[in-house]
Amino acid sequence: MAKEHWAEPDDLLLQRERSTGRAIMGWLTGTLIFAGVMALLLHFADLAEFLAVLRAANPLWILAALSCQMATYACAAAVWQVVTRRAGYPLDLRDLLKLAVMELFANQAIPTGGLSGSLLVARGLVRRQIPSAIAVTALLIAALSYYAAYFLMAALAFALLWSTGDLSGTWALLSIIFAAIIVVMTTCLVAVTVSKGRWIPRRLLQRPVVARLAKALEQVRTDMVSSPGMLGITIFLQLAIFVLDATTLWLAIYALGTSIAVSPAFLAFVLASVVATVSPIPLGLGSFEGGCVAVLHLFGVSIEVALAATLIFRGLSFWIPMLPGMWLTHREAQADL
């Protein structure tokens, strides 16, 4: 069987050249904002105590937190595995784990709202003998289930915040903006899926990668996308990722010698994610950290511990995976040659 190609090398090169400038500007902007937020938080914190808290971190609990993060990649890979297996193309979960790490790296290295990571995963699935139509179907189901799970987790978080009497006007406004963003994104995904790409603007279709995406969308398995069983399983896996992320933050706090209930850690993670989603800051750098520290401090955690736990969480979930992600992406690219 002839091997399918998601995008020709020239197309990828052109896309990479056009996105490099935006990526660099995004990283510079995010880094500057992150540095500013860190400086502000450290202004309110006792630097000596903050460093003492970090030095006292229990490595065993940090290792447990790292294990939770590794489990998130397994859940992400399982979403694609469920779809491809239902379509008759079973894949090994360990192989898909590599794609999960590569997707995270691509989304962080080239901030494009998740598009760069999705394209990388699509190419990886096609390279593993998955038809492009099934690859796009897997990505659509993953995106729809993610937005559904995100909406459910955010709704639960805002409900818990309301029950504690801490739902201020600012949080209420953020909840409305967030809900609007999720509804718009989900509606666009459903519209593109139902129309099988016919609603994509002609201006976008002039781009080679988008044109190939539109062609693949014509063959999308709408029966799988609309399957309640398929969506139920994938939404459950996406919910598990949110729970594992929140548990990672809770374990980071516990590693610093502070014991809190699970609900404050869950609220801090989800609400900080909402802040990062609503804010225009690339990669959520600074906005996530500021939101997470603020919520944890609201529930009685000292600023020093809250900041240290947030930085540990971001290190495990954001920074540490960058190196293996870059290495795996390089290997994948070499295999395509």
Side-chain angles (χ1 to χ4, degrees):
M1 184 176 69
K3 185 178 178 181
E4 294 185 71
H5 292 279
W6 176 256
E8 298 296 333
D10 290 343
D11 297 340
L12 289 178
L13 181 61
L14 179 61
Q15 179 193 6
R16 192 176 297 116
E17 289 175 350
R18 289 177 175 177
S19 62
T20 298
R22 292 193 297 268
I24 293 174
M25 287 302 300
W27 270 101
L28 287 176
T29 303
T31 302
L32 288 174
I33 294 174
F34 174 79
V37 171
M38 289 301 100
L40 178 63
L41 292 173
L42 288 173
H43 174 73
F44 291 103
D46 186 314
L47 181 58
E49 185 176 347
F50 168 72
L51 295 176
V53 166
L54 278 178
R55 285 195 295 267
N58 188 319
L60 292 179
W61 289 110
I62 299 295
L63 183 61
L66 178 60
S67 300
C68 284
Q69 278 305 294
M70 294 176 65
T72 63
Y73 298 114
C75 290
V79 171
W80 305 321
Q81 186 188 49
V82 167
V83 178
T84 57
R85 179 175 293 175
R86 180 71 64 87
Y89 299 91
L91 291 175
D92 184 57
L93 184 64
R94 290 172 297 180
D95 195 24
L96 290 174
L97 278 171
K98 301 175 185 177
L99 288 181
V101 178
M102 290 161 54
E103 180 187 39
L104 176 65
F105 165 74
N107 288 335
Q108 293 173 179
I110 309 175
T112 54
L115 179 60
S116 55
S118 296
L119 291 174
L120 188 63
V121 171
R123 282 177 55 80
L125 290 175
V126 169
R127 182 176 169 273
R128 288 159 177 78
Q129 305 303 317
I130 302 298
S132 59
I134 301 302
V136 174
T137 299
L139 294 180
L140 284 172
I141 291 175
L144 287 170
S145 59
Y146 168 77
Y147 286 125
Y150 198 178
F151 184 85
L152 290 173
M153 289 290 98
L156 176 59
F158 283 114
L160 289 173
L161 197 63
W162 174 78
S163 67
T164 62
D166 295 311
L167 186 63
S168 63
T170 301
W171 284 116
L173 178 61
L174 281 175
S175 68
I176 295 173
I177 297 175
F178 171 79
I181 292 174
I182 295 298
V183 169
V184 169
M185 294 294 292
T186 304
T187 301
C188 290
L189 279 174
V190 172
V192 167
T193 303
V194 172
S195 68
K196 294 193 174 183
R198 290 190 296 271
W199 290 2
I200 297 177
R202 292 184 179 180
R203 184 178 179 181
L204 291 178
L205 288 175
Q206 295 176 359
R207 300 181 180 181
V209 173
V210 177
R212 292 178 183 277
L213 173 62
K215 185 176 181 180
L217 283 170
E218 295 175 359
Q219 308 173 54
V220 164
R221 292 280 300 275
T222 53
D223 59 315
M224 296 178 66
V225 176
S226 60
S227 169
M230 176 69 67
L231 289 176
I233 294 173
T234 53
I235 289 174
F236 174 81
L237 290 169
Q238 300 284 10
L239 289 171
I241 293 175
F242 280 96
V243 172
L244 286 166
D245 277 332
T247 303
T248 301
L249 179 61
W250 179 76
L251 288 170
I253 297 171
Y254 204 86
L256 299 173
T258 299
S259 179
I260 64 169
V262 176
S263 57
F266 168 78
L267 284 171
F269 167 72
V270 175
L271 294 178
S273 299
V274 169
V275 171
T277 299
V278 172
S279 71
I281 302 172
L283 304 171
L285 287 172
S287 57
F288 178 91
E289 287 80 4
C292 191
V293 171
V295 175
L296 288 175
H297 188 58
L298 178 68
F299 286 96
V301 180
S302 69
I303 293 181
E304 292 79 12
V305 172
L307 179 57
T310 300
L311 291 178
I312 290 173
F313 171 81
R314 287 291 263 181
L316 295 175
S317 63
F318 187 94
W319 296 107
I320 290 180
M322 289 288 281
L323 186 58
M326 180 173 60
W327 179 70
L328 289 171
T329 301
H330 176 72
R331 286 192 59 187
E332 189 85 5
Q334 290 295 107
D336 283 336
L337 296 178

